[in-house]
Amino acid sequence: MNPQKWRWRASVALLGVTLGLVIYPLIEGPNDVINSDWPAFATGAQLIVHNPSRLYDLDTQRRVEFQVTGGKTLVTLGIKGILPFLAPAWVALLAVPFDLLGTNIGGRLWILFGLACLALGIYLAVRPRPPPAILPAFASVPTALMLLNAQLDGAVALGIGAAIALWSRPYLAGLALGLTLMKPQLVLPLGVGVLLSRQWRVMAGWAAAGLLLWGSTAVLNPRWVFEWLAAAGSTVQPGAREVNLSHLGTLFPSGLQAYAVAALTLAAIIAVVVLAWRRRSDFRSAAALLVAGGVFAAAHALPTDLVIVGLALAIWGKARWYDWLLLSVGAAITAFVPAPWPAIIGVLVVGWLCLRITGEWLPGRVPASAE
């Protein structure tokens, strides 16, 4: 068997999948756009322009989202019959130019924008490896889930990839990390890791980006942060398809759920940071652990967010074909099985891949005691 020939065949197959992912938003039906998360982003875009003081009011969102969807309602788990906008206010601002193009066209371009951000983020993260190195991470089930749900993980990936590419310029790297604030719950271990490693200029750039984003929305609604934090708590629901460790806290009695979720989140952050600290001499391994661990330790993470784990494997650069297969199969299962199985499977998959990144479970590795 010729390994070079098999690698070439795999690259061709992955390139075909990539082409299909890019074409799909152009040919999908209007109902597919409406059945994604795009109506929630479009609702946020309309409210941040016309009624920013009611951005997180669910009754107001309900009225606006019905206009966006043409009166169609959710048949799956939601909140008050809608998929609410619960992202930071600057995400609503980002969605404004897309919403101006209408639900159908704007939604398709929003999806393509997310795919472009993801591809560029992976490319920046894997440099100086050749461009085909992005294919295993991009041509995967998590990317398909991100596409189908019109989610914004691509912007997070772009922020992380750009930060890695700019790491020799710490302040610019921190500014790039500002893009991760589109989904801040996914970068908690990364933030702790930057602080513990005393990367003060990176943290200064990150903070400056955060202040800039906050200022751009505070002029519209100075209290939105408090309103957002109050509304964001509603995302933790026992029946949701979450893939993070803390979601297992919803299995506790209702009076203990909030404490269990908080405790599991803190424990997960500590575990991820400890693993990354042990690999601090290897920048790519440590960075990959903090990135993948962000999904593991998030207070809220869905199967679409597993695309960030794919980015982490790309950063690591040592993933084998079975690592990519495990990620895609795990993502596919978590997208369809009922709760709490997505959390159980997601924790096992991401946890195992994090252990792989530590280097202790690489094939052919001689245990330290035998060296």
Side-chain angles (χ1 to χ4, degrees), residues 175-191:
L175 286 174
L177 285 174
L179 285 172
T180 65
L181 299 178
M182 300 296 166
K183 283 195 165 187
Q185 74 273 16
L186 298 181
V187 291
L188 298 178
L190 182 59

Side-chain angles (χ1 to χ4, degrees), residues 197-287:
S197 59
R198 300 180 181 180
Q199 298 287 341
W200 303 124
R201 283 183 289 179
V202 174
M203 184 55 66
W206 201 351
L211 286 173
L212 181 63
L213 289 170
W214 173 80
S216 67
T217 52
V219 295
L220 300 172
N221 179 5
R223 294 184 52 82
W224 77 261
V225 173
F226 304 103
E227 296 168 358
W228 168 61
L229 291 174
S234 62
T235 60
V236 182
Q237 300 184 74
R241 288 193 177 97
E242 304 260 355
V243 296
N244 47 302
L245 177 66
S246 66
H247 189 69
L248 297 177
T250 61
L251 299 178
F252 284 74
S254 57
L256 298 175
Q257 285 181 6
Y259 301 103
V261 168
L264 288 173
T265 299
L266 180 60
I269 292 173
I270 293 173
V272 169
V273 171
V274 168
L275 286 177
W277 186 257
R278 292 179 60 186
R279 298 290 295 165
R280 63 188 181 276
S281 60
D282 182 346
F283 173 78
R284 286 199 167 269
S285 293

Side-chain angles (χ1 to χ4, degrees), residues 322-333:
Y322 43 79
D323 296 315
W324 296 111
L325 180 62
L326 175 63
L327 177 61
S328 280
V329 171
I333 295 173

Side-chain angles (χ1 to χ4, degrees), residues 57-76:
D57 180 80
L58 294 183
D59 292 327
T60 304
Q61 286 195 24
R62 182 184 177 90
R63 291 193 297 272
V64 174
E65 190 162 312
F66 282 174
Q67 296 173 8
V68 171
T69 62
K72 296 180 179 179
T73 59
L74 284 176
V75 295
T76 56

Side-chain angles (χ1 to χ4, degrees), residues 4 20 50 56 94 114 140 143 162 193 217 220 226 239 308 310-311 324 335 350:
Q4 187 67 27
H50 300 294
Y56 296 104
L94 179 64
S140 63
T143 301
T217 52
L220 300 172
F226 304 103
I308 300 301
L311 172 67
W324 296 111
V350 180

